[in-house]
Structure formats: C-alpha cells, structure tokens
C-alpha cells in the first residue's frame, strides 16, 4: 500500500520520471510541445483553463501579454526547492515565508485551490503545527508541481522549464549511527533525492510518528540499542510502513546476514564502504521498480473497477431487454396483463424460501418473465378467444412451451431461461406437456414457475369469471400437491398464501 501523498507525487511526476536520471529525456519532453502552441495569446489562455484565468487577467488589467508574462515568471521563479529544504530541515519560519510567497503568486495567476492550500499551510507554519504540515506538505507540493508542469506544457516557448532545478520526487531516510556514512549518502544522493537522516532507530521512529513517510529506507544493520534487524521488524509489523522498501547497509559481506535480511523483508543489500556510483544506481533501480509496481497495481485496480462497472451496465441492459420481451408477451394476451411480472414475483418468493442465491434468484426471475414467450407463435384469435377452446385449438395452445424453448434455446448463458419456457407445463406426476417429464426430471425452476403460474391464473380475472377467492385457490394448490405440483414447492406456495392474510397477492 502506497501512502496517498506519495501516490500523488508519483503520478504528477510522470513528466520527470526519466528526467530525474536522464536530463536528455526532459529536454525531449519540453521540445515536443514546440510548434503546438504558437497560436495567439487568446488560444494560449484558453489552454490555461485549469487556472482561473479571468481572475488572473483582472489582476493584470486585462492585458493578456502581461498575464502570460506573469504566468511564465511564476514557473521560472518557483519556490519548490526552497520549500523542500525548509521542510526537510524543520525550518518552520523559513517554510512559512516560502508558502506565503506561493500563496501570493498563486493568487496572482488565478491558481485558486493552490492558493487556498498554501494559505492553510502558512497558518499551520505560523503555529508550528508540525502534524498538519507533515500531513499536507506532499499533497501541496504535488499540486504545485502539477500546475507548474501544466503551465510549462502550454507555454513551451516562453519557459525554459528544463533549466529550473529538478524536482525531487522521492525522499529517502538514512538511518545510520555513523555520521560519516550519512554524509556520504547525502552527498551521493541529495542531488536526485530528498534525504532525511536519523542517527538511531529512536530518532527515525520519532520522525515517523511526526507524520514523515519516506519512499525508501537505507538502514544500517549494526547500531547500538536498536539494530537494523529490530527496526525492519517494527516497520514490517506496522501496516502504515510495511510497504516502504528497505535497503540494508552493512560491512558484513557474508551470506547469512544477507539471507536473514531478505527473510526480514529487505529488498537489497549495499556493502560498506559505500561506492557512490553503485549506491546511486541501486537506489535508482529500486525506486523505479518499486514504484512502477505500485503504479501497475493502481492501474490494475482502476481497470478492474471499470470492468465491474461495465458488467453492471450489461446486467442492467440484459434485464431491460428481458423485461421488454415479457411486456411483448403480455401485450399479445389482453386477458393476462402483467401476468409475466407476477409469475416472476411469486417465483422469486418461492426461490427465496428455498434459499436460492442472488444469482439463482436473478436467473429464476428471468426464466419466469419469459416462460410464456412461446405464445408469440400462437395465433391471436386463439389466445384472445373468449369462449371455450375446441380440442384442436387447445392442441395449438399446447405448442407454446416448445415454441418458447425454440425461441430461447440460443440463450445458453442462462440455461434456466430455456427450461422455464420449455417445461413450465410439466406435471410432477408426469401428466403434463410437452414431454411428460415427472418428479425431479423436471428442472426445479420450471417446477417453481408451474406453481406460480397456476396461482396467478387462479387469482386473476378472466373474461368468463372473476378471480377465485383465496381459500379456493389454496384448496386447489393443496389438492395438486404430488399430482401437478412438486410437494415441497407447492407447500412453500401454501405457506406464502397463509402469510398473506390480507390477500394482497393477486392481479
Ligand atoms: Fe404457459
């Protein structure tokens, strides 16, 4: 887990990612904007839309050229390094002066949010509120860097941004009781990284307690009181710090010390006396790899989230299509308006009693919504006939499960949808149609839909009768246990009827 401040700094630091170790790339980055922004001042100001340019222009008496000069100067005279120096040296008086300057200049160019942040930081520095400063320094710097970079991208011809001092992305803690060693590290690494020294484990943990969070720890193994082994143990046991890569520095060039260090979670070993080129190369490589990995993890998280959202959208769309099809069926049969919806509702009630999972209930709902889709293939004259059906007409009606099955057979991702249409007129004792399946041969969801379908037919009005009374319906379902209905599923329907004391479940 990377802390938020570091993440922010890392992301906005992309432009500098390579430039930290290779000035040529930086030059390339700046150069590639050449020629793109040669438009008039109005166009350039439009591209500065991340600033409140209206406010900025007002400060410059609406003189666009004057405003752009101010914006250029803002980047060239940035106080980033001064801020960092004061911060790392705990020089709060100096820090206050620098954030004050940042506040004023940000107000001038219309960087409102940064101005507000700098204002709060100035107040904190005034009160020496170290906790607030430690919490907010990195986000403030990240936002500042971001704005500098965005301006540089818009004004490449005006600003020689590569000429300004490199912005140091990472902070390295050097924990070593030897002052000389700390000095060597400082000299070798300080032009590329921010360095914070600690002469003992106690001092180091004190810094952490104050809110300081390094991106890497260079840790001496042999120290009085707490050794490097003790310190890495404490870091790895604390979820706030466990993610920070630790590199051991030791005189011991023996395998067992190294092995022990790796077991304890160290990412590398550097042998003393420190070789400057080797030290810089190793640290560069570790930070590159480590933070590239963090970035990849972040990327994976973002993509996974996108897939989840896409899947949710697809599910909603699938459900809407099924609902539309169900409405089509109900529109064809004017006597059974809302039938599919109600059968789905009752089926889901039964499925819940059976302990179905969310996914099973969803499939059951779809299957129930589409159980009568085969009626689309039955002539309207027969579907909507008010008088009694002839034997021949009834035979035609009886084809609707097969027609439905045929329509739905391509939906193989949810097998129950086919089963619901195909087998919802099968009877438990084998006397139903179209296949004459019996007992558990009939797919369970089709047995559920069969009960729900019969219940809704009896509790709905027909052209030739009103809906049946609840006790009559209950009697019919009870009579059908073991013959038409699965006895367990039928009993669950009886239970639902008994709980519906006001008889609300009907058309
Ligand atoms: Fe049916």
């Amino acid at each position: 887990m990377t802390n938020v401040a570091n993440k922010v700094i890392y992301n906005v630091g992309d432009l500098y990612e390579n430039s930290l170790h290779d000035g040529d790339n930086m030059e390339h980055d700046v150069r590639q904007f050449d020629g793109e922004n040669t438009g008039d001042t109005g166009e350039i100001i439009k591209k500065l839309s991340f600033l409140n340019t209206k406010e900025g222009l007002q400060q410059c008496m609406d003189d666009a050229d004057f405003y752009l000069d101010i914006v250029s100067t803002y980047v060239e005279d940035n106080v980033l390094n001064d801020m960092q120096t004061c911060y790392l040296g705990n020089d709060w008086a100096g820090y206050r002066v620098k954030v004050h300057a940042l506040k004023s200049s940000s107000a001038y160019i219309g960087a409102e949010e940064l101005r507000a942040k700098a204002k709060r930081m100035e107040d904190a520095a005034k009160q020496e509120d170290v906790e607030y400063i430690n919490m907010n320094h990195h986000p403030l710097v990240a936002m500042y860097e971001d704005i500098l970079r965005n301006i540089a991208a818009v004004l490449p011809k005006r600003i020689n941004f590569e000429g300004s001092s490199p912005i140091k992305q990472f902070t390295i803690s050097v924990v070593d009781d030897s002052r000389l060693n700390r000095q060597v590290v400082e000299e070798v690494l300080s032009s590329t990284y921010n360095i914070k020294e600690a002469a003992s484990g106690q001092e180091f943990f004190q810094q952490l307690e104050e809110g300081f969070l390094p991106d890497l720890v260079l840790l001496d193994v042999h120290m009085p009181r707490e050794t490097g082994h003790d310190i890495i143990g404490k870091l790895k046991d604390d979820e706030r710090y466990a993610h920070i890569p630790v590199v051991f520095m030791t005189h011991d060039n023996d395998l067992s010390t190294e092995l022990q260090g790796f077991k304890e979670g160290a990412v590398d070993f550097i042998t003393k006396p420190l070789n400057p080129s080797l030290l810089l190369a190793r640290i560069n490589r570790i930070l590159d790899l480590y933070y590239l990995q963090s970035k990849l993890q972040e990327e994976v998280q973002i993509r996974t989230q996108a897939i989840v959202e896409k899947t949710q959208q697809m599910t909603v769309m699938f459900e809407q299509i099924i609902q539309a099809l169900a409405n089509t069926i109900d529109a064809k049969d004017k006597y059974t308006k809302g039938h599919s919806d109600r059968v789905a509702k009752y089926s889901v009630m039964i499925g819940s009693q059976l302990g179905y999972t969310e996914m099973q209930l969803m499939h059951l709902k779809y299957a129930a919504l589409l159980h009568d889709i085969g009626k689309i293939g039955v002539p309207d004259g027969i579907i909507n006939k008010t008088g009694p059906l002839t034997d021949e007409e009834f035979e035609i009606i009886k084809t609707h499960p097969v027609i439905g099955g045929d329509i739905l057979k391509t939906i193989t991702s949810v097998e129950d949808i086919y089963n619901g249409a195909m087998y919802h007129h099968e009877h438990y004792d084998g006397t139903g149609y179209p296949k004459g399946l019996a007992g558990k041969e009939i797919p369970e969801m089709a047995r559920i839909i069969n009960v729900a379908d019969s219940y809704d037919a009896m509790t709905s009005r027909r052209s030739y009768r009103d809906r049946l009374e609840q006790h009559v319906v209950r009697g019919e379902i009870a009579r059908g246990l073991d013959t038409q209905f699965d006895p367990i599923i039928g009993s669950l329907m009886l239970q639902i009827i008994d709980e519906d004391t006001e008889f609300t479940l009907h058309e």
Side-chain angles (χ1 to χ4, degrees):
M1 202 181 78
T2 316
N3 69 81
V4 174
N6 283 335
K7 250 195 245 173
V8 173
I9 288 180
Y10 187 71
N11 289 338
V12 299
D14 284 352
L15 187 66
Y16 296 94
E17 207 165 45
N18 299 318
S19 71
L20 284 175
H21 311 148
D22 180 358
D24 291 338
N25 287 344
M26 182 66 200
E27 205 178 302
H28 173 75
D29 278 330
V30 172
R31 258 207 309 267
Q32 75 184 18
F33 290 102
D34 280 3
E36 268 185 33
N37 300 299
T38 48
D40 59 20
T41 44
E43 277 307 303
I44 296 175
I45 287 169
K46 249 190 227 165
K47 287 181 182 164
L48 291 170
S49 60
F50 49 89
L51 301 172
N52 185 342
T53 49
K54 200 175 158 202
E55 186 75 30
L57 276 164
Q58 259 174 20
Q59 305 258 20
C60 298
M61 294 162 293
D62 284 315
D63 181 337
D65 274 316
F66 181 23
Y67 175 58
L68 291 179
D69 283 337
I70 295 285
V71 173
S72 303
T73 310
Y74 179 83
V75 179
E76 281 161 353
D77 292 346
N78 77 73
V79 292
L80 261 175
N81 286 339
D82 294 340
M83 266 174 71
Q84 291 280 38
T85 307
C86 295
Y87 173 72
L88 293 173
N90 294 333
D91 171 11
W92 305 131
Y95 191 78
R96 183 185 160 193
V97 173
K98 294 303 158 195
V99 286
H100 173 82
L102 174 61
K103 180 190 78 178
S104 311
S105 56
S106 299
Y108 228 92
I109 65 161
E112 290 172 322
E113 207 182 330
L114 184 59
R115 186 205 59 80
K117 267 193 200 299
K119 161 97 175 62
R120 285 195 290 275
M121 192 61 103
E122 186 188 359
D123 294 341
K126 193 169 159 187
Q127 289 152 18
E128 299 210 349
D129 184 350
V130 178
E131 200 185 328
Y132 182 92
I133 297 172
N134 280 327
M135 288 278 292
N136 294 283
H137 172 75
H138 288 298
L140 177 71
V141 168
M143 183 185 268
Y144 191 12
E145 282 179 297
D146 214 3
I147 286 177
L148 292 173
R149 194 171 1 274
N150 288 337
I151 294 173
V154 175
L155 303 177
K157 285 191 179 294
R158 288 169 172 265
I159 300 169
N160 181 17
F161 197 37
E162 61 170 317
S164 56
S165 330
I167 295 164
K168 299 171 189 172
Q169 261 181 286
F170 297 116
T171 300
I172 297 174
S173 267
V174 187
V175 188
D176 196 323
D177 58 318
S178 153
R179 187 158 172 244
L180 187 75
N181 265 319
R182 296 202 306 272
Q183 251 176 4
V184 172
V185 172
E186 167 84 31
E187 254 169 56
V188 175
L189 298 180
S190 64
S191 59
T192 314
Y193 300 108
N194 300 306
I195 305 296
K196 182 126 171 159
E197 298 180 25
S200 65
Q202 195 193 5
E203 190 184 346
F204 173 59
F205 283 109
Q206 179 63 36
Q207 292 166 352
L208 294 184
E209 280 312 311
E210 285 165 7
F212 170 70
L213 200 55
D215 299 296
L216 182 142
V217 180
L218 261 174
L219 185 57
D220 183 27
V221 175
H222 298 295
M223 283 185 287
R225 291 187 295 277
E226 276 179 304
T227 68
H229 299 298
D230 299 329
I231 294 171
I232 194 173
K234 276 164 84 172
L235 284 175
K236 296 297 162 193
D237 282 346
D238 191 325
E239 63 170 24
R240 289 172 298 173
Y241 312 124
H243 67 280
I244 304 171
V246 175
V247 176
F248 270 131
M249 298 180 291
T250 175
H251 289 288
D252 302 336
N253 198 4
D254 76 274
L255 199 62
S256 63
T257 307
E258 290 202 10
L259 273 177
Q260 190 188 347
F262 283 126
K263 271 186 203 154
E264 288 163 346
V267 295
D268 207 349
F269 263 83
I270 291 176
T271 316
K272 291 191 216 171
L274 299 165
N275 172 316
S277 338
L278 192 64
L279 176 64
L280 183 61
R282 285 236 180 126
I283 298 299
N284 284 349
R285 194 195 50 154
I286 292 164
L287 281 169
D288 279 354
L289 283 177
Y290 188 81
Y291 286 95
L292 185 64
Q293 192 186 12
S294 301
K295 206 179 174 190
L296 278 175
Q297 279 170 349
E298 237 177 81
E299 191 63 23
V300 168
Q301 267 177 6
I302 292 168
R303 302 252 167 133
T304 309
Q305 182 58 28
I307 291 170
V308 168
E309 279 168 20
K310 207 77 209 147
T311 310
Q312 281 167 348
Q313 282 173 4
M314 295 293 285
T315 307
V316 168
M317 196 169 83
F318 187 62
E319 200 159 332
Q320 286 170 341
I321 291 171
I322 294 210
Q323 189 64 54
L325 280 171
N327 295 346
T328 312
I329 306 159
D330 289 355
K332 186 174 165 86
D333 186 344
K334 60 184 176 187
Y335 297 114
T336 58
K337 196 168 177 298
H339 172 67
S340 304
D341 277 331
R342 288 191 302 274
V343 173
K345 177 176 155 188
Y346 304 146
S347 297
V348 167
M349 288 172 89
I350 298 170
S352 303
Q353 301 274 6
L354 282 169
Y356 274 20
T357 62
E358 285 289 313
M359 180 70 93
Q360 286 173 311
L361 289 175
M362 195 165 75
H363 290 181
L364 175 58
K365 182 180 165 191
Y366 296 159
L369 279 171
L370 298 181
H371 75 281
D372 265 347
I373 196 166
K375 283 191 177 168
I376 286 171
V378 177
D380 286 4
I382 300 176
I383 296 270
N384 292 314
K385 188 173 174 186
T386 45
L389 294 172
T390 64
D391 286 350
E392 200 191 3
E393 286 166 341
F394 191 58
E395 283 308 311
I396 293 172
I397 286 268
K398 278 168 72 179
T399 60
H400 81 271
V402 174
I403 298 171
D406 214 39
I407 291 172
L408 299 174
K409 68 172 186 263
T410 51
I411 307 181
T412 49
S413 56
V414 186
E415 200 188 355
D416 303 304
I417 291 184
Y418 168 86
N419 289 340
M422 185 70 183
Y423 302 116
H424 72 277
H425 282 293
E426 298 289 357
H427 287 185
Y428 200 71
D429 61 5
T431 60
Y433 60 91
K435 294 269 172 90
L437 300 182
K440 305 279 188 267
E441 285 175 347
I442 310 164
E444 187 172 78
M445 287 197 191
R447 281 178 265 144
I448 294 172
I449 294 168
N450 179 267
V451 177
D453 189 20
S454 304
Y455 177 84
D456 186 62
M458 291 187 276
T459 53
S460 297
R461 259 174 240 108
R462 288 289 180 265
S463 59
Y464 49 91
R465 65 155 168 82
D466 200 353
R467 65 167 176 257
L468 303 181
E469 287 185 46
Q470 193 190 33
H471 70 94
V472 178
V473 178
R474 192 192 188 286
E476 285 300 313
I477 302 262
R479 214 158 54 86
L481 298 184
D482 282 322
T483 53
Q484 180 178 344
F485 308 123
D486 176 321
I488 293 170
I489 293 168
S491 303
L492 290 175
M493 189 71 230
L494 292 179
Q495 210 176 305
I496 290 167
I497 294 170
D498 293 340
E499 282 164 15
D500 181 24
T501 50
E502 303 289 317
F503 192 29
T504 57
L505 300 176
H506 57 71
E507 182 189 9

